[in-house]
Amino acid sequence: MQKKAVIKIVSNATMEHDELIEVVTPGSLKKENDEIVAMYKETEISGMSGTDTKLRIGDEYIILEREGTTSTKMHFEKGKPTISLYNTPYGMLELTIQTKKLDIDITEDGGDVEIDYEMQVAGQPPIKTKLKLNIKA
């Protein structure tokens, strides 16, 4: 059963001089097969207005999918490097993601997720990012 949820996202990336970006947005939460699925609409604050985001959260992985003005499917799994295509209004980027830390404490009623990862674009220096999610259904 899908529930209404409040989703709080806190992001801290090295490319932003350790500046925190915090967004609180309405969304939804449901259990689907063996995953918890959170969905929300991006806002102008994130720079991705017009994009729908879906987080598929398993026991040991997270898949972030975006559809709209920005499209991507990013896979986070500790110790497992992944490659994602990131389609923006300005063109396609290939991202390499190395998940350093992945803490998942979530049920269909909500919870917390923390991801520390490095993202590299086409041979550029890696961008270190910490992403924290708090979901309340």
Side-chain angles (χ1 to χ4, degrees):
M1 183 174 90
Q2 185 163 302
K3 301 176 182 180
K4 290 183 179 180
V6 175
I7 301 170
K8 178 179 175 182
I9 304 129
V10 179
S11 176
N12 181 349
T14 54
M15 67 181 222
E16 305 184 4
H17 310 293
D18 292 333
E19 184 178 318
L20 282 177
I21 297 171
E22 187 172 322
V23 177
V24 178
T25 186
S28 64
L29 189 68
K30 66 180 176 178
K31 186 166 177 76
E32 192 173 273
N33 301 320
D34 290 335
E35 299 175 329
I36 301 294
V37 179
M39 294 178 284
Y40 62 93
K41 294 190 178 296
E42 295 286 350
T43 65
E44 287 183 30
I45 295 169
S46 70
M48 293 180 278
S49 184
T51 298
D52 293 329
T53 296
K54 179 191 285 188
L55 294 161
R56 293 179 23 224
I57 305 166
D59 289 336
E60 297 183 16
Y61 66 87
I62 295 175
I63 297 170
L64 183 149
E65 298 174 344
R66 288 194 170 117
E67 291 280 332
T69 56
T70 301
S71 298
T72 191
K73 185 175 183 179
M74 299 166 73
H75 189 110
F76 300 94
E77 191 168 343
K78 189 174 178 191
K80 182 178 175 185
T82 60
I83 295 175
S84 301
L85 294 177
Y86 201 85
N87 192 6
T88 74
Y90 309 104
M92 182 85 69
L93 301 171
E94 184 179 283
L95 306 176
T96 302
I97 298 167
Q98 179 70 50
T99 305
K100 302 292 185 181
K101 176 182 174 184
L102 183 60
D103 289 335
I104 299 169
D105 181 16
I106 195 162
T107 68
E108 55 197 294
D109 295 318
D112 296 291
V113 173
E114 188 172 337
I115 312 169
D116 287 4
Y117 64 96
E118 290 182 355
M119 183 171 56
Q120 197 166 11
V121 180
Q124 297 295 312
I127 299 164
K128 294 179 182 178
T129 302
K130 289 184 181 191
L131 187 64
K132 291 183 182 182
L133 303 166
N134 174 262
I135 303 168
K136 293 180 180 163

